[in-house]
Amino acid sequence: MRQLIKNCSVFDGNHSALKQNACIVIADDLVEDILQGEVPEERFDRVLDAGGRTAIPGLIDAHVHIALTGGGDEMEPLRADETAVRAAKNAEECLLRGFTTVRDAGGMIYGVKACIDNGYTIGPRIFPSHSGIGQTCGHCDNRPGAASQRTVEGYMSPVMNNGVWVLADSPDEVRRATRDQLFLGASQIKLFLGGGIASKFDHLYTVQMTFEEVRAAVEAAADYGTYVMAHLYTNESMQRAIRAGVMSLEHTQLMDDETARMIRDNGVWVCPCPTFTEDSMMDFKYTPDMLEKYALVRKGVEQQTELIVKYGLNMVFGTDMATNKYFCEEHQLKDFSAFKKRFGSFEGLRAATGRVHDLFQLCTYRNPYPKGKVGVLEPGSFADLLLIQGNPVEDLDLLTDKDNMKLIMKGGTIYKNTL
């Protein structure tokens, strides 16, 4: 099928200057060309008049947990089938907020991704990590209490029994767990290398996994053409990860100048999520200890912002989106407003488009969608694009209201059209 989108301005994902009076030529699921001026319409099966709106690449959220579907008043354990249904709904709603691609940072996502890719349900393209890997008594040890036991048959935690997380406590165990995720088709590997806010048994300042354990995951991933991303907040955790070869650091709110320079000098990527907006904790029932950890991390956001800007660190947009669809609907797009305040509209938009395209090059042949490019709008890219009322390059707040997204297209298929 051949389609033409005419009368638009085009943001290509990397350059602040828009291509004006442009026409986007689409052949099946790919962008064939982007032209300026008039294009004969008779050779197209569909012609869409953008009415002067701005075309941008489909948005990418580089840190989500689509299959973590509890939260708020729903902290009770969920069955695997209930989790899968909720994950599919999370994926659908994510696409309808304009995110045509996501990087899943840990979860039971194999089946949901397969159903999206084969057309059985709708959702974004998913770059999967599959199970997140962490140590006993670490951030992903989700046993509910000190009386819980780890048994031969499995774990006390349904989340862990469902394969969302995997515990590994030696280089050999980490290597095996990494290879298990690669077997499932992981495009990158996710490790938990430090304490977290929502976990009960690890203080924020704990340093998790030894250098040898981290290095085992990095080597196993590299042998299969890809890289490791890691959950961490503190400088000791970040510096150990960098020395071991981890290429994508998630969260990083407590970084200092020395760590920022190490990140820059090693070409490492940063995903500074979540943004910790004023109301981002309101929908959860956290213990006083968890709230204390939240406060510690939030204090670091201002310095983190300054260091990312000072050293020009490789940065991508991510929200840490998880839990129920109501929370995700409320908060996922709000993070663009926070990115605008921290980094400016252009860099914030680029972090959700062209910069993620650059990050995904680390997947090499593990890229699950090698046919086209994501995160950019140019010949050879997937026809994943949005038509926006207004220019988000100048005002990123425009993306916080999904009603400003007049057209949502993924792979040449239109999922929303209110032109």
Side-chain angles (χ1 to χ4, degrees), residues 65 68 105-109 129-143 150 154-155 157-182 184 186 189-193 208-209 213 217:
H65 298 277
L68 293 185
M108 187 178 63
I109 203 64
S129 303
H130 296 303
S131 300
I133 303 168
Q135 68 174 45
T136 297
C137 197
H139 183 55
C140 66
D141 189 339
N142 286 151
R143 287 175 288 178
R150 184 176 175 185
Y155 303 104
S157 166
V159 173
M160 295 161 72
N161 282 332
N162 288 345
V164 174
W165 315 132
V166 172
L167 300 187
D169 290 299
S170 69
D172 285 343
E173 286 188 10
V174 171
R175 190 175 292 108
R176 174 62 180 268
T178 298
R179 290 171 178 166
D180 275 342
Q181 311 324 309
L182 295 168
L184 292 172
I189 297 300
K190 171 67 179 295
L191 299 182
F192 291 89
L193 302 186
Q208 299 175 17
M209 287 199 176
E213 288 170 332

Side-chain angles (χ1 to χ4, degrees), residues 35 63 100 112 164 219 245 259 266 286 290 318 329 335 394 397:
L35 306 169
H63 191 121
T100 55
V112 174
V164 174
E219 289 175 348
T259 300
N266 289 274
Y286 282 156
M290 293 176 186
E329 174 71 20
D335 281 6
E394 297 178 348
D397 281 332

Side-chain angles (χ1 to χ4, degrees), residues 94-116:
C94 193
L95 175 62
L96 297 178
R97 286 190 289 273
F99 291 96
T100 55
T101 301
V102 298
R103 181 178 62 158
D104 195 273
M108 187 178 63
I109 203 64
Y110 179 91
V112 174
K113 179 185 183 301
C115 287
I116 292 170

